[in-house]
Amino acid sequence: MSQAASIQKLLAELERLPGIGPKSAQRILYWLLNNEPSDTQRLAAALVEVSETVHFCERCFNYAEDELCPLCASAETGHRKATQICVVSEPRDIVAIERTNEFHGVYHVLGGAISPIDGIGPEELNVRQLLERLADETIEEVVLATNPNVEGETTAVYLARLIKPLGITTTRLASGLPVGGDLEFADEVTLGRAIESRHEI
């Protein structure tokens, strides 16, 4: 064995992280070893704190430290529109939408998307909790912001069928060509979506 057991153990743990291969794991390892011990201890303490204090929001299933996530708590105080719910697959999708600063309502995280191949049906997602919210809260619009792939589309169609009979406006994020993109490089699905979602100018 060319490396100490503790180094091998840390490398193995780093490689388990998404997007981290053997080379990236080595770079992180050497960065940690060349840092001051206090820097490494701060990182370790932050990891432990997150694992011990962060859980799912009781209302929307975003990440939270309290009963409600900051966004749901903000809606409680009237700083966000509690009448609009944006439905997303994962908490990370909220971060992407919030960066646009265009949506000012609340969210609902499904915890995935319908994927029969992977054995994920509506029962494995937070669909029941969404319907309970729609029954209990005064909701005027549900924005379906699942990914524009097969699983995301299947999930959006399924949810739309459940929500529309409730008399709540149900919308889907527009999709199509990226700004600055060339038509010749667009795939058929993206280009087809752009044509389908065309609007008058």
Side-chain angles (χ1 to χ4, degrees):
M1 182 183 287
S2 60
Q3 292 177 317
S6 58
I7 289 179
Q8 291 280 17
K9 184 178 177 183
L10 181 54
L11 279 173
E13 290 301 321
L14 289 172
E15 286 181 35
R16 291 178 58 208
L17 297 173
I20 303 294
K23 288 186 178 178
S24 295
Q26 281 188 339
R27 279 196 296 272
I28 294 169
L29 169 74
Y30 294 132
W31 180 84
L32 290 169
L33 291 175
N34 290 324
N35 260 348
E36 292 294 323
S38 59
D39 292 336
T40 305
Q41 287 162 6
R42 269 201 315 276
L43 174 61
L47 289 169
V48 170
E49 184 181 353
V50 162
S51 68
E52 290 178 348
T53 62
V54 175
H55 54 267
F56 290 120
C57 172
E58 290 185 356
R59 183 175 297 164
C60 75
F61 299 95
N62 186 15
Y63 293 125
E65 290 183 338
D66 300 313
E67 285 183 13
L68 298 179
C69 72
L71 297 171
C72 285
S74 188
E76 291 276 307
T77 58
H79 289 91
R80 294 188 76 91
K81 283 185 189 174
T83 57
Q84 283 183 317
I85 291 184
C86 182
V87 178
V88 297
S89 296
E90 304 289 349
R92 63 176 173 261
D93 299 331
I94 293 176
V95 176
I97 293 172
E98 283 296 292
R99 275 200 305 261
T100 70
N101 202 30
E102 293 292 331
F103 181 74
H104 305 290
V106 293
Y107 293 88
H108 188 86
V109 180
L110 294 171
I114 295 172
S115 177
I117 293 174
D118 299 315
I120 301 172
E123 310 77 31
E124 281 72 47
L125 306 176
N126 299 319
V127 173
R128 178 182 54 80
Q129 294 88 336
L130 172 63
L131 296 176
E132 287 172 1
R133 288 183 71 184
L134 298 181
D136 296 341
E137 301 171 30
T138 308
I139 305 300
E140 296 172 0
E141 179 186 10
V142 174
V143 181
L144 300 175
T146 52
N147 290 324
N149 54 25
V150 174
E151 294 81 9
E153 289 298 325
T154 302
T155 305
V157 169
Y158 176 81
L159 292 176
R161 285 184 185 149
L162 293 177
I163 297 166
K164 281 184 179 178
L166 303 177
I168 298 171
T169 300
T170 309
T171 59
R172 178 89 170 109
L173 289 188
S175 58
L177 297 171
V179 174
D182 293 327
L183 288 181
E184 63 178 305
F185 299 120
D187 62 87
E188 310 84 61
V189 175
T190 301
L191 193 51
R193 279 290 167 71
I195 294 169
E196 192 180 311
S197 303
R198 68 190 185 280
H199 59 275
E200 189 174 341
I201 57 172

